[in-house]
């Protein structure tokens, strides 16, 4: 029988420190009303402390996932970490997470596709399951966005937070799991959303640091327009390919970048707000962690056989949508 890759468990973690809109009012020229009306965000979590990187959150999410699914670390065949804020350029953050979670019989690697990275990693991990090579694959989305946010830049500092989420993929022969996907990229988007320095093109120097080139840069209006069209287009394309109407969709699981982008995507799909997973108000944009953290928050409301559409957009540009048929009752 045909093998599909089913999500059989979800884990998540967000740091304790809460950065509210009221606190941001003390840092930059903004207000709670302005932030809320334009983004939907009320607060976000920040990872504090010395030597605390994305792996710290990823390890906690993976350990929780293993415990919830009664999975032994040595059973894991592969771990993929989607991140734009790796602990360091090398080794891979996925390797650090595996070591910290006691996973020592798997191979692991990082994937960077900006905010679409979790979808890219999920689709990649599914191939190892569908091909029959592996039985248990973990996909982690983990980002410490506070490490690359300029808290004097009022346009960007209001948007981002830190967090991690993880899912376990296992084989299914009952038609559950990842059933279709549309993944896209367009490198011409580089100029509109990027981190200018820190790579091989512009290695760190005193000048790049002084010029704030190690922080997130985005041309907001252009990114917003492209994100709305791209996420809506691929979500609609996946629905059409699978002959799904809005009535067939139990949940839209969108990347939590901006509530107006989420609303536009839902409207294009014909999906009402009662079917849209939303936690941007509490966490902000956690980049690769947004979609798994949505699943983590809403897990108890999911039922076996539910049709879910995952949709994301990220810098570069990257974007995509995945159709998932949920595999278990919580």
């Amino acid at each position: 029988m045909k093998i599909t890759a089913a999500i059989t468990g979800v884990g998540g973690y967000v740091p304790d420190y809460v950065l509210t809109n009221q606190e941001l009012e003390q840092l930059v020229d903004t207000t709670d009303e302005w932030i809320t009306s334009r983004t939907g965000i009320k607060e976000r979590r920040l990872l504090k402390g010395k030597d605390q990187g994305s792996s710290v959150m990823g390890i906690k999410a993976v350990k929780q996932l293993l415990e919830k699914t009664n999975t032994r670390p040595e059973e894991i065949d592969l771990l993929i970490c989607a991140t734009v804020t790796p602990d360091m350029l090398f080794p891979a953050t996925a390797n650090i997470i595996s070591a910290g979670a006691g996973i020592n019989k798997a191979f692991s690697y990082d994937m960077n596709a900006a905010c679409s990275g979790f979808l890219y990693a999920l689709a990649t991990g599914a191939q190892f399951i569908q091909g029959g090579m592996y039985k248990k694959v973990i996909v982690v989305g983990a980002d410490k966005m506070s490490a690359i946010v300029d808290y004097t830049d009022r346009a960007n500092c209001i948007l981002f937070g830190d967090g991690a989420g993880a899912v376990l993929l296992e084989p299914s022969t009952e038609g559950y799991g990842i059933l279709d996907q549309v993944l896209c990229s367009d490198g011409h988007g580089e100029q509109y959303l990027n981190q200018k320095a820190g790579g091989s093109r512009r290695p760190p120097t005193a000048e790049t640091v002084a010029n704030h080139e190690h922080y997130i840069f985005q041309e907001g209006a252009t990114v917003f327009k492209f994100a709305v069209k791209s996420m809506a287009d691929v979500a609609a394309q996946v629905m059409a390919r699978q002959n799904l109407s809005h009535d067939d969709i139990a949940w839209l699981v969108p990347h939590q970048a901006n509530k107006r982008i989420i609303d536009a995507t839902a409207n294009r799909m014909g999906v009402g707000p009662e079917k849209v997973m939303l936690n941007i108000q509490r966490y902000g944009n956690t980049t690769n962690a947004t979609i798994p953290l949505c699943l983590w928050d809403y897990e108890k409301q999911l039922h076996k056989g539910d049709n879910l559409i995952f949709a994301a957009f990220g810098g570069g540009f990257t974007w995509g949508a995945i159709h998932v048929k949920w595999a278990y009752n919580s």
Side-chain angles (χ1 to χ4, degrees):
M1 298 180 66
K2 181 179 178 180
I3 297 173
T4 54
I7 295 173
T8 58
V10 182
Y13 174 79
V14 290
D16 294 332
Y17 185 88
V18 179
L19 177 62
T20 65
N21 289 348
Q22 287 73 23
E23 186 174 348
L24 282 171
E25 290 177 350
Q26 310 305 311
L27 299 176
V28 292
D29 182 16
T30 191
T31 65
D32 171 62
E33 188 279 330
W34 191 92
I35 297 171
T36 304
S37 64
R38 285 160 178 78
T39 69
I41 302 169
K42 299 295 289 185
E43 58 188 39
R44 63 291 288 150
R45 304 295 185 95
L46 302 188
L47 182 65
K48 298 283 191 175
K50 184 179 179 181
D51 296 330
Q52 301 290 291
S54 297
S55 67
V56 170
M57 300 180 291
I59 289 167
K60 290 181 182 293
V62 169
K63 282 185 173 181
Q64 183 191 97
L65 173 64
L66 293 173
E67 182 178 352
K68 284 174 62 176
T69 58
N70 294 313
T71 304
R72 299 188 309 276
E74 59 269 24
E75 294 181 79
I76 302 302
D77 300 304
L78 166 65
L79 184 146
I80 308 173
C81 178
T83 184
V84 297
T85 54
D87 282 25
M88 55 191 79
L89 288 178
F90 63 90
T93 300
N95 295 1
I96 300 170
I97 292 172
S98 291
I103 297 171
N104 52 25
K105 293 187 177 180
F107 87 97
S108 54
Y109 60 89
D110 289 353
M111 180 169 288
N112 181 351
C115 296
S116 305
F118 181 79
L119 292 194
Y120 278 40
L122 190 68
T124 303
Q127 301 305 310
F128 288 95
I129 298 287
Q130 293 166 4
M133 183 174 290
Y134 294 135
K135 300 295 185 185
K136 294 181 186 292
V137 173
I138 289 178
V139 180
V140 188
D143 272 304
K144 184 184 178 181
M145 297 306 294
S146 61
I148 58 172
V149 167
D150 181 354
Y151 285 96
T152 66
D153 177 4
R154 69 173 185 170
N156 282 322
C157 71
I158 64 174
L159 299 174
F160 296 96
D162 305 336
V167 300
L168 177 63
L169 295 177
E170 296 184 271
S172 171
T173 56
E174 302 176 278
Y176 299 108
I178 297 168
L179 302 186
D180 199 5
Q181 63 201 35
V182 176
L183 302 173
C184 309
S185 64
D186 181 355
H188 293 95
E190 171 204 350
Q191 61 184 304
Y192 303 113
L193 181 51
N194 60 53
Q195 182 182 338
K196 296 186 181 303
S200 59
R201 184 193 299 181
R202 290 182 60 81
T205 65
E207 181 184 6
T208 63
V209 173
N211 292 337
H212 291 201
E213 294 181 36
H214 296 266
Y215 295 125
I216 299 165
F217 166 81
Q218 64 175 321
E219 190 175 295
T222 302
V223 172
F224 180 87
K225 291 176 184 177
F226 204 98
V228 168
K229 183 179 187 305
S230 299
M231 281 179 59
D233 282 353
V234 288
Q237 187 177 348
V238 167
M239 289 174 63
R241 284 165 46 143
Q242 293 295 303
N243 296 313
L244 296 170
S245 72
H246 60 86
D247 291 328
D248 298 317
I249 304 300
W251 293 99
L252 167 63
V253 191
H255 169 53
Q256 308 285 299
N258 181 305
K259 190 173 183 299
R260 291 186 295 169
I261 295 174
I262 294 170
D263 290 344
T265 302
N267 289 337
R268 172 73 180 276
M269 294 170 60
V271 173
E274 73 282 356
K275 291 184 174 184
V276 179
M277 291 191 186
L278 193 69
N279 59 17
I280 191 174
Q281 67 277 14
R282 297 202 312 278
Y283 306 143
N285 181 354
T286 56
T287 303
N288 285 290
T290 62
I291 287 177
L293 282 177
C294 278
L295 298 177
W296 184 54
D297 277 349
Y298 282 80
E299 186 181 16
K300 291 182 180 179
Q301 299 182 52
L302 297 175
H303 303 94
K304 190 173 184 178
D306 280 352
N307 287 305
L308 279 60
I309 300 292
F310 298 176
F313 171 87
F317 291 130
T318 63
W319 67 100
I322 293 179
H323 171 214
V324 174
K325 188 173 285 291
W326 200 249
Y328 64 95
N329 293 312
S330 299

